[in-house]
Amino acid sequence: MISSTHSPATGADEGSAARSGAGPVDDGPISPRSEGSRPGRARRPRHAAPTSSLFWRYGFPGLLVVLVLAIPVLIVIGARVVLDSSDGRLVNRVTDPAAPGWEAVLDPTPTELVLTVDAAGELESVAVLVLSGEGSGAVLQVPAETLVDMGPDVGEVSLAFGWFANGADGARDMTGRLLDLSFTDTRVLTPEDWASVVAPVAPLTVNSPDAATGPDGVEVFPRGSIQLEATEVPAYMSATGPSETDVARLVRVEALWRSWLNAVGVAGMESVPQPLDQGLGLFVGTLGAEQVRFVTLPVADVGEEGVEVYRAEPEDVARVVGELVPFPEGPPGTRPSARVLDGTGQLDRGVSAAIVIGAAGGQVRVIGNAEDFDIETTEIVYYDDSQQAAAEAVRDALGVGEVIRSEQKSPVDVTVVLGADALSVPALAPAPSTVPGVPLPEEDPGA
């Protein structure tokens, strides 16, 4: 798995005043002011005034003259620096996606984090909606009591605790740390919100995999095909029997997601939350018309008797995210960035390789074609010694290639130029002109 040497963010921003959701907020300690002094600017001695007046009368106009005369020189120097640098500027003007030298920025796969809270304001469940491609998507569920390693100073804490401590910011940052993802959008749904968003297609016909019972063991909703009014949806999602695990409850929640998305697909975009072009409206409306995979993150119960706590193995997390999110983007500093170029003219601008690299823990920002199509051996180029391990992990993921150290500067951590040796790798085989739902960009990037 590719890993970055940068330290990942480990929580919500301190002192954030804008919280989504209802969790208690801990903004940290407040440092008292020093006693015996009033904050403010220090008083200037009276004898300093004449010196200041002389500067503004004579020195400042002279300084302006010098700056005006220097402008042409600065322009020439600045232009030369830009022209001699490949950092942060357009490196080519090729507009034909089939031509050598064409490159384009690859947008990350859209993902939305949905945090469901119960009537008491506690985090009940976590879902990640994924628009993975044209005609395809996914709903990934994560138990709220899944542990996240927050480093040696904090240790492992659950997503539910992250919500309790820092609201939506804490739950989002910890889920991103767990899955090595950043999210396009985050939405908190209370019981009232759930009733509201499903109301346009209610009653929902839900094929409940088992009966839902309350804490006293009394059946609340039967097994099989049931009709749920909008106001009954929150109770159906929350119902947990006395001996039922939260993972078992999520099986019923998955059935509800299936029913809701199917109903939206039949009713059309007018049945989804507003606005339609972003957030929950965009994701639910799009998934309603697509083939959707429903997955619950594999976890193991590691809690003591009577305490339900889960842990997910990193290998399982990487595998699931790699299968569902073709072009992932991680929290800042967690995924090495990459640029993938096809040096054969037959590997579809590196799209398949970008998916492989993403599944291995990388983050592909640019795809395109090499300057020529006669590359024999795949090159994995890194520019900083701290990224050598990342480059070697890319080679291992691709199964071919030579790792090369370059002294040039680059806006990405690793550049991959696919050669003829990559044509024999099944995972890198020439793909259709587009990955499902990910049309190739038509313009040059500012890579």
Side-chain angles (χ1 to χ4, degrees):
M1 181 175 178
I2 303 172
S3 60
S4 172
T5 60
H6 305 295
S7 298
T10 59
D13 295 336
E14 293 185 2
S16 175
R19 305 285 192 195
S20 300
V25 177
D26 180 9
D27 283 330
I30 300 175
S31 300
R33 293 176 178 171
S34 300
E35 296 182 359
S37 64
R38 179 185 178 191
R41 183 175 299 173
R43 186 182 300 277
R44 182 183 299 274
R46 291 183 180 274
H47 65 264
T51 303
S52 176
S53 298
L54 290 174
F55 170 78
W56 288 107
R57 182 175 299 177
Y58 302 106
F60 183 68
L63 181 61
L64 282 179
V65 172
V66 173
L67 290 175
V68 170
L69 293 175
I71 286 176
V73 178
L74 293 175
I75 290 176
V76 171
I77 294 175
R80 185 169 300 280
V81 169
V82 172
L83 292 175
D84 290 344
S85 170
S86 62
D87 257 354
R89 71 180 181 89
L90 191 64
V91 295
N92 63 73
R93 293 285 183 181
V94 180
T95 58
D96 180 4
W102 178 88
E103 296 182 18
V105 171
L106 184 63
D107 291 332
T109 301
T111 55
E112 176 167 52
L113 180 65
V114 179
L115 305 171
T116 297
V117 298
D118 61 19
E122 297 182 357
L123 185 64
E124 185 174 74
S125 60
V126 176
V128 179
L129 310 185
V130 183
L131 303 184
S132 53
E134 183 178 348
S136 64
V139 176
L140 171 62
Q141 293 197 99
V142 183
E145 292 296 341
T146 302
L147 296 173
V148 181
D149 187 356
M150 300 301 293
D153 294 336
V154 178
E156 291 184 312
V157 294
S158 70
L159 298 174
F161 181 83
W163 165 268
F164 173 80
N166 289 302
D169 291 344
R172 180 200 63 227
D173 293 346
M174 288 181 61
T175 306
R177 187 182 181 99
L178 173 68
L179 302 178
D180 202 5
L181 287 176
S182 61
F183 305 105
T184 310
D185 187 60
T186 300
R187 178 68 184 269
V188 177
L189 293 178
T190 65
E192 294 76 15
D193 293 332
W194 267 107
S196 175
V197 296
V198 302
V201 290
L204 289 175
T205 301
V206 179
N207 186 20
S208 187
D210 50 42
T213 62
D216 54 2
V218 176
E219 183 176 281
V220 182
F221 299 98
R223 179 178 180 272
S225 181
I226 60 175
Q227 297 287 314
L228 291 179
E229 297 295 338
T231 55
E232 295 178 305
V233 166
Y236 175 80
M237 298 178 68
S238 298
T240 306
S243 60
E244 187 177 35
T245 67
D246 197 48
V247 173
R249 182 186 64 84
L250 291 181
V251 176
R252 284 199 306 276
V253 177
E254 177 185 310
L256 178 72
W257 275 105
R258 288 178 182 271
S259 174
W260 184 27
L261 294 178
N262 287 338
V264 166
V266 173
M269 292 298 289
E270 293 182 359
S271 65
V272 303
Q274 298 289 333
L276 302 179
D277 60 345
Q278 60 182 321
L280 193 63
L282 171 65
F283 280 81
V284 171
T286 304
L287 292 175
E290 297 185 339
Q291 292 183 345
V292 181
R293 290 187 60 185
F294 296 88
V295 179
T296 297
L297 187 69
V299 293
D301 190 348
V302 295
E304 299 177 356
E305 186 176 355
V307 179
E308 201 170 351
V309 180
Y310 299 100
R311 181 181 292 124
E313 293 299 327
E315 295 79 8
D316 291 333
V317 174
R319 174 180 55 80
V320 169
V321 172
E323 291 176 356
L324 302 182
V325 187
F327 306 119
E329 180 177 29
T334 61
R335 287 178 176 264
S337 60
R339 175 170 167 247
V340 181
L341 306 176
D342 175 16
T344 70
Q346 304 177 59
L347 290 172
D348 198 26
R349 309 157 188 90
V351 172
S352 297
I355 296 175
V356 172
I357 293 171
Q363 179 174 305
V364 177
R365 293 181 176 174
V366 175
I367 59 172
N369 299 323
E371 292 298 328
D372 64 72
F373 291 145
D374 297 322
I375 305 298
E376 291 296 326
T377 302
T378 297
E379 298 178 351
I380 299 100
V381 183
Y382 67 98
Y383 309 90
D384 188 277
D385 289 339
S386 65
Q387 297 301 329
Q388 180 178 354
E392 292 172 349
V394 168
R395 179 195 57 198
D396 294 343
L398 296 176
V400 294
E402 177 184 3
V403 175
I404 301 172
R405 172 70 158 89
S406 173
E407 297 298 330
Q408 296 181 350
K409 292 183 178 180
S410 173
V412 296
D413 297 319
V414 178
T415 294
V416 177
V417 182
L418 299 170
D421 55 346
L423 292 171
S424 61
V425 180
L428 307 181
S433 58
T434 63
V435 173
V438 188
L440 290 175
E442 296 296 334
E443 298 180 358
D444 297 350

